[in-house]
Amino acid sequence: MVVRYKPTTICFWPIIVKMTSSAEYAAAQASSGPKMELYGIDKDFSVDRNALTVLRGIDLSVREGEFISLIGPSGCGKSTLLNIIAGLEEPTKGDIRTDGQRNDRRLGAIGYMHQKDLLLPWRTVLDNAVLGLELRGKPRSQIRRQALELMEYFGLKGFEKNYPSLLSGGMRQRVAFLRTVLADHEIILLDEPFGALDALTRANMQEWLLELWESWGKTVIMVTHDVEEAVLLSDRVYVFTARPGRVKLVLPVDLPRPRRYGMVTEDDFVKMKAAVIAALRGNDVRGGIA
């Protein structure tokens, strides 16, 4: 169980979770500089010897400890942008900076969780959780002990020896999150982490992720097709146009934290959700929200 907003520090390896008040969180966000910055990112692919432009002129920044979401039509290049940030692809044009320095060595230095949990069916929950650290050559006994210390925190205690086929979709995603957290990267990329879940499980997982992130303090960039999810989880929402993807709207989400799923029916939430939907549909966004 996560106990939030108390002036204490809970130590797990390899993360240190510092509990803060919502006022302290807001002050930290206001004072922190960009953790990552993207300038003028273009991406072209060659298809049948013709250039296919996927992204054009993307400027994006994320502060340390901030949660931002990318949303846009299918095929607009959101996942391609995550691949570029992760170092799996290189931009055709543009610069990427981390902590103010140009970063051309991103591969392996940024956490990346895909929509599919990618759990290996022949490995138990525990063995799947430590896979990334095993591949990095960490001592097996040490990393298993470290993973076991986090099982209860991730709602997996008692399931350590189960195989993925015996887990619900939500629990499989928790294992994938644990694997990502154990890698201890400062920046985490999430590509539609709840897109394959049913509506009820997705809502539960969104609240779970809110608790995890609000006590975790990592910098998160998430791709989603769910407007409600983007507004509920994020500090800012980037709305993309159809391909070639451009940033059409950057929406600051000025809702108090900690957040809960019940906020989705409140007036301020509904107005922000409407602004994102209007941008996605190509309408003008009025009222100064942009």
Side-chain angles (χ1 to χ4, degrees):
M1 179 180 294
V2 180
V3 181
R4 295 176 296 168
Y5 308 113
K6 291 187 177 180
T8 185
T9 299
I10 299 176
C11 296
F12 298 115
W13 191 95
I15 59 174
I16 298 177
V17 181
K18 183 180 181 182
M19 306 303 180
T20 61
S21 70
S22 55
E24 289 172 333
Y25 169 81
Q29 284 288 293
S31 63
S32 62
K35 182 66 179 177
M36 174 168 278
E37 300 163 282
L38 280 63
Y39 297 104
I41 299 296
D42 291 357
K43 182 61 179 179
D44 300 329
F45 290 99
S46 179
V47 179
D48 296 330
R49 299 184 179 181
N50 295 316
L52 175 66
T53 302
V54 177
L55 294 168
R56 181 65 72 220
I58 301 297
D59 293 329
L60 181 150
S61 68
V62 56
R63 296 187 296 272
E64 185 171 2
E66 189 178 22
F67 195 125
I68 70 170
S69 289
L70 317 180
I71 191 168
S74 295
C76 72
K78 304 181 298 298
S79 294
T80 297
L81 186 61
L82 287 195
N83 288 339
I84 290 172
I85 293 171
L88 297 171
E89 301 272 0
E90 290 299 325
T92 305
K93 181 181 177 182
D95 291 328
I96 300 174
R97 295 180 179 271
T98 304
D99 295 322
Q101 302 296 318
R102 181 166 178 169
N103 189 348
D104 295 324
R105 290 190 170 185
R106 303 178 304 281
L107 188 62
I110 294 174
Y112 197 173
M113 179 178 163
H114 296 265
Q115 177 178 352
K116 294 183 178 180
D117 54 64
L118 302 178
L119 301 183
L120 300 179
W122 58 88
R123 292 179 70 106
T124 64
V125 164
L126 178 58
D127 289 334
N128 268 289
V130 301
L131 178 60
L133 292 176
E134 273 189 14
L135 295 175
R136 289 162 60 180
K138 302 295 183 180
R140 180 177 172 84
S141 60
Q142 177 185 345
I143 61 179
R144 287 171 67 87
R145 183 175 64 254
Q146 292 157 354
L148 286 170
E149 291 175 357
L150 287 170
M151 285 292 171
E152 184 172 3
Y153 186 70
F154 279 76
L156 297 168
K157 189 173 180 61
F159 295 89
E160 298 88 347
K161 297 181 180 180
N162 284 30
Y163 289 92
S165 61
L166 300 177
L167 303 180
S168 66
M171 292 191 71
R172 292 172 64 103
Q173 292 300 87
R174 288 172 186 256
V175 179
F177 267 111
L178 176 54
R179 182 178 57 200
T180 303
V181 168
L182 282 169
D184 196 30
H185 296 298
E186 294 182 356
I187 300 173
I188 304 296
L189 309 179
L190 306 176
D191 193 355
E192 294 195 73
F194 309 135
L197 303 178
D198 64 85
L200 181 58
T201 303
R202 184 166 62 246
N204 290 335
M205 289 298 295
Q206 288 166 357
E207 286 199 319
W208 176 79
L209 178 56
L210 277 172
E211 289 190 347
L212 175 64
W213 174 79
E214 286 168 355
S215 60
W216 183 23
K218 296 291 186 178
T219 303
V220 176
I221 303 173
M222 181 182 74
V223 162
T224 180
H225 280 100
D226 188 324
V227 176
E228 198 168 87
E229 178 174 85
V231 175
L232 179 65
L233 297 178
S234 305
D235 295 303
R236 286 181 294 137
V237 178
Y238 281 75
V239 182
F240 281 59
T241 67
R243 191 179 70 235
R246 297 179 173 87
V247 176
K248 183 173 186 178
L249 170 70
V250 181
L251 176 71
V253 182
D254 298 323
L255 297 173
R257 294 190 185 274
R259 295 180 189 166
R260 63 193 187 284
Y261 188 78
M263 298 174 73
V264 301
T265 60
E266 296 176 0
D267 288 345
D268 288 344
F269 189 100
V270 172
K271 289 177 182 177
M272 292 183 185
K273 180 178 175 180
V276 175
I277 292 173
L280 289 170
R281 291 180 172 177
N283 299 327
D284 291 334
V285 178
R286 303 187 186 279
I289 295 179

